[in-house]
Amino acid sequence: EQLLANAVPAGTIGTWLRRERLRRMLPGVYAVPPLEPLTRVAAALLWMPAAAASHRSAAWLWELADEPALVELTVPRASSRRSPAPWLRLYRRDLPSDRVVLWDNLATVEPEQTVLDCLAVMDEPAGALLIDTALAGRARPVLLRDRCAANVGRRGAKAAVRALTLATPGAVSHPERVLAKA
């Protein structure tokens, strides 16, 4: 739509696609190679404007975790779209507006909710490292505890409570957590 709105003829778009000057990312969303990880996040949000980057994608954007293999978005529960690409995973949940913020003009779940989302899908050691990193930097401890209390009964809530109890801000490994707790 943007190319057509900028007077690029449809035939030219087709030629660019055949010559791989332009790549189809998702239905109606194209990008100029090389396709960086941030390009995939932006493409997914263009394809689903009501979504927000979440889970490990948001953790990566907030610099709480390494670059994920998949782009993860939280989409409204009523959305009927399914992921058209193997690199895109959708989670359905209605997010309150105060949980979504802009990260470099990309709708992204706030750091505190990001931590809770990740704890629901990560193994315990990775989750512990994430929460320690988040509490040492981006996440506000009081807000994280409030969000955790509001999540009771949701998937990953028990793991979040356990991780918060064992959290050791700044620790980079399990032995450091054990030593700090001792």
Side-chain angles (χ1 to χ4, degrees), residues 53-156:
S54 64
H55 295 75
R56 289 165 284 221
S57 294
W60 171 65
L61 293 173
W62 292 121
E63 298 176 348
L64 301 174
D66 292 334
E67 177 187 319
L70 301 173
V71 171
E72 294 172 303
L73 300 182
T74 294
V75 301
R77 201 176 292 224
S79 173
S80 61
R81 283 191 174 178
R82 299 211 180 273
S83 175
W87 52 264
L88 178 61
R89 179 171 293 153
L90 305 178
Y91 296 93
R92 296 182 195 295
R93 181 177 63 206
D94 294 325
L95 287 170
S97 61
D98 66 335
R99 306 264 172 105
V100 179
V101 295
L102 289 180
W103 182 95
D104 199 24
N105 278 336
L106 299 173
T108 307
V109 173
E110 67 175 3
E112 294 79 14
Q113 187 64 50
T114 295
V115 170
L116 296 176
D117 290 345
C118 286
L119 291 173
V121 297
M122 288 179 152
D123 63 27
E124 195 168 318
L129 179 58
L130 175 82
I131 201 164
D132 291 343
T133 303
L135 287 172
R138 297 239 183 237
R140 297 161 287 186
V142 172
L143 189 54
L144 183 58
R145 283 184 173 79
D146 289 348
R147 298 286 192 251
C148 186
N151 262 9
V152 171
R154 295 189 63 87
R155 179 176 181 238

Side-chain angles (χ1 to χ4, degrees), residues 14-87:
T15 300
W16 289 351
L17 285 166
R18 281 191 302 282
R19 293 183 181 166
E20 295 188 4
R21 184 173 166 203
L22 195 61
R23 286 238 179 99
R24 180 183 183 270
M25 300 287 295
L26 294 162
V29 181
Y30 302 89
V32 176
L35 304 177
E36 302 293 329
L38 193 55
T39 304
R40 291 187 301 149
V41 173
L45 290 170
L46 278 172
W47 174 73
M48 177 65 86
S54 64
H55 295 75
R56 289 165 284 221
S57 294
W60 171 65
L61 293 173
W62 292 121
E63 298 176 348
L64 301 174
D66 292 334
E67 177 187 319
L70 301 173
V71 171
E72 294 172 303
L73 300 182
T74 294
V75 301
R77 201 176 292 224
S79 173
S80 61
R81 283 191 174 178
R82 299 211 180 273
S83 175
W87 52 264

